[in-house]
Amino acid sequence: MKKIKIFILMLIGIASYSQNQSDTQNSGESKEKVIITELTCEFGFEKAISDFENGDFYCFDFGNIYTHEKRWNSFFKNYIEEEYGIILKSRGCVILPSDQCYDKKMNELIFEKYGNDIFQRARKKAKELYNRI
């Protein structure tokens, strides 16, 4: 876990340095920016609880998602957000511990609120509505 944290902070430092170089070249003055973000599992759990308590229900998809059913996926995302307030977000291929733990905790909280089969029920109902179009 410590190696991951150090590596991520190094990446942030490189991105910050690159941005600072660009700012300096464009404006002629140095603008130091330090961005430190906790990307630990604990941070993800705490953020999920905080978001849930504020009514922000974000669920993540990891990896590249290739599909021939783009219209259906868009319809389902809109449906589940409108009906349950659940926002589906793609996080790409880089799986950070904070995102993974956030998603795990958020799913637990959503299952407590709506039931363990919420996604199956929502998908079934959305498919019925989608087929009427």
Side-chain angles (χ1 to χ4, degrees):
M1 181 66 82
K2 194 169 195 166
K3 287 181 182 179
I4 292 172
K5 197 172 179 182
I6 291 169
F7 176 71
I8 292 169
L9 288 173
M10 286 173 45
L11 287 176
I12 291 170
I14 290 168
S16 178
Y17 175 77
S18 175
Q19 180 63 42
N20 286 340
Q21 289 299 100
S22 176
D23 289 346
T24 301
Q25 291 169 355
N26 293 335
S27 68
E29 62 184 57
S30 177
K31 295 179 182 178
E32 291 299 319
K33 296 178 184 176
V34 177
I35 302 170
I36 298 176
T37 304
E38 282 288 325
L39 300 174
T40 62
C41 194
E42 295 81 20
F43 176 80
F45 279 134
E46 291 171 9
K47 179 76 172 124
I49 292 168
S50 173
D51 282 355
F52 186 84
E53 289 172 351
N54 290 324
D56 298 323
F57 309 149
Y58 298 104
C59 290
F60 300 149
D61 287 325
F62 298 104
N64 287 330
I65 301 169
Y66 298 102
T67 180
H68 59 280
E69 297 182 23
K70 289 184 180 181
R71 287 186 61 219
W72 155 247
N73 286 338
S74 179
F75 182 88
F76 179 68
K77 281 183 166 187
N78 289 333
Y79 173 80
I80 201 161
E81 183 175 350
E82 288 175 18
E83 289 295 313
Y84 300 98
I86 298 171
I87 300 169
L88 303 177
K89 294 183 149 243
S90 177
R91 297 306 259 189
C93 293
V94 178
I95 303 174
L96 301 173
S98 57
D99 287 345
Q100 192 172 27
C101 293
Y102 178 100
D103 192 58
K104 180 181 178 188
K105 185 62 177 176
M106 183 59 73
N107 279 309
E108 289 173 6
L109 295 168
I110 287 172
F111 293 159
E112 285 176 22
K113 181 174 179 73
Y114 295 115
N116 288 344
D117 63 341
I118 179 59
F119 293 105
Q120 292 89 348
R121 284 186 290 122
R123 193 171 303 280
K124 181 179 177 183
K125 181 64 177 172
K127 199 64 151 174
E128 290 171 8
L129 294 171
Y130 182 77
N131 287 335
R132 292 183 194 164
I133 299 175

